[in-house]
Amino acid sequence: MQNIGFSDIKITGGYWKTRQEINSSVTIKSVYERFRETHRFDALRCEWKDGEPDMPHIFWDSDVAKWMEGAAYILNSKNDETIAEIIEDAIDCIIENSDENGYFNSHYLVTEQENRFRNRDCHELYCAGHLFEAAVAYYEITGKDRFLKAMCKYADYIEKVFKTDKNAAFTTPGHPEIELALMKLYKATGEKHYADLAKYFIDEHGKHTEEQNYIESFNEYYNQDEMPIKDRETAEGHCVRALYLMCGAADVAYEYSDDELKKACERFFDNIVNKRMYITGGVGSTYIGESFTIDYDLPNRTAYTETCAAISLAMFANRMLKFGADSKYADIVEKAIYNGVMSGVSLDGKSFFYENPLEIDPEFNNVNTSTKQKERFPITQRLEVFECSCCPPNILRFVASIAGFLYSFDDETVYVHQYMDSETNANGIKITQKTEYPANGKIIVRCESDKKKIAFRIPGWCKAFTVNRNYVIKNGYAYVVLNGEDKIELEFDMPVRIIAANRRVHENAGRVAIMRGPVVYCAESVDNGADLKSVSIDINAEFEVNDSELLLPVLKTKAYRPKENENLYYEAGYDYEEIPLTLIPYYAFANRGESEMQVWLLRKQQIRGLCNKT
Ligand code: FUB
Ligand code: ZN
């Protein structure tokens, strides 16, 4: 199965057009400015001297590289001299300062040269991987190859040090990323030895645990080295590391038809989505080691759910589609992109969440309560830059290339995985989608192609749908026979749904979450008043769906809350009042000042007697 690349697809309307316009006009500049002010771009000049402030951090190169990758994607559809010059200048710096082997790392080149490739935790291979991705992106968009050539030289050097001479102090990266990047380098150059190197790293993970001297919480799980990937049953350790690694593993399994590795990828996916994932597609239950914990441990207020983790879950799920269309993968892409990914960026495109909690209670966060003394809470308002600022440029490149999630094809069939107002004409396939999805579930698809069939994903959340043609369902896709020039109309029924969590998710016992289509909703005190934790909702509640300035509809319903009572304790009775409740898309929380926020609301049956008396 082959993907249709984002650069061949134009997003023409709806939610994603707006998001892309903000991304390419605001986010790109804002992230650049913050990275410039914090000396990340200067670091590439490799002029820093001992004793000066702002020593280049070990992973600043990755921040800049992700920005360059996103900027290159944006240049695909937008001429921008200033952006092009910034990229060219960064490339000049990288090429001029690469050493005779092709090695480039703005930290090690000016600090501890002698410690190159001696410390597994110092992100050299991670930074290299992001530079490779940026070089491939720039080459594919502009056709200019000097950056790509420089990075090939660097990759050849890494191959020599790690695979041929084996004289690095560690065998695999502490932070995976280079594996998936080498697969991209292979695709861009046709040089098979880059794929072989990716496979080498994938196979080596977990084989040398005793030799690696791990420290405390940065243990073998954190570093994705606890055991060979093929033996793993669960998702463990640092989420972004795990997911980047498994992106590389999925690429390698596909390229080398490695069924054992593919099965490990499937187990990893199943463990995450059935037991370790938030309803938003976020992952990472604790800030300690930024990691997965145990099955069903999904706290809301202290959820870590790094933006990069939701992004990498979407990247991984999308890769699993290469093995064959199965809607369970594209469903997770959809869940992540509308919720846990886009909550990472403000509606104005300038500021970001690193952590994306499912509950905020500013009062408890900001004063010294008992909880505050033992817990660490995510921040309540987005920031423009972080000391560890991996998420902002990740959002930039992700939104710029979002169309890459739409289609793939094989000899017989074109697959439609996601629904966005768009047009494409590539690989002999011409498709347009006219839709406001997910504001509503209507989609008109026109397709001209010599393929025999077109297959539409029927979203897992959808219980009723129509297609104006005969179809056959397989693995969650409706297969329609093509006649040459087709106009196919789909309609997915999109009622508001009230969702419960598995009873083992103790945090959500007696609570429900609200979804419409793929979009998760939340309540904020800015709309509904304080004490959201006492608000309950009837599972038979009716909802109004209203257009809003938050890009997708808001929901209005009736809910219940205890009447004000001055006593600390009182006998439980029927003292509840009906209140109007406004729910907004989760991705839009914290855009209107600091506010309480709650995804999981009390379910009305919890309130004794409420149903019977007023
Ligand atoms: O270590 C580099 C980046 O910082 C990771 O990808 C993120 O998860 C954060 O740990
Ligand atoms: Zn991040």
Side-chain angles (χ1 to χ4, degrees), residues 59 123 126 175 238 240-241 244 290 306 308 354 388 390:
F59 51 76
H123 291 68
Y126 167 79
H175 194 315
H238 186 286
V240 179
R241 293 174 190 229
Y244 280 1
E290 308 184 284
E306 183 184 339
C308 288
Y354 186 112
C388 173
C390 46

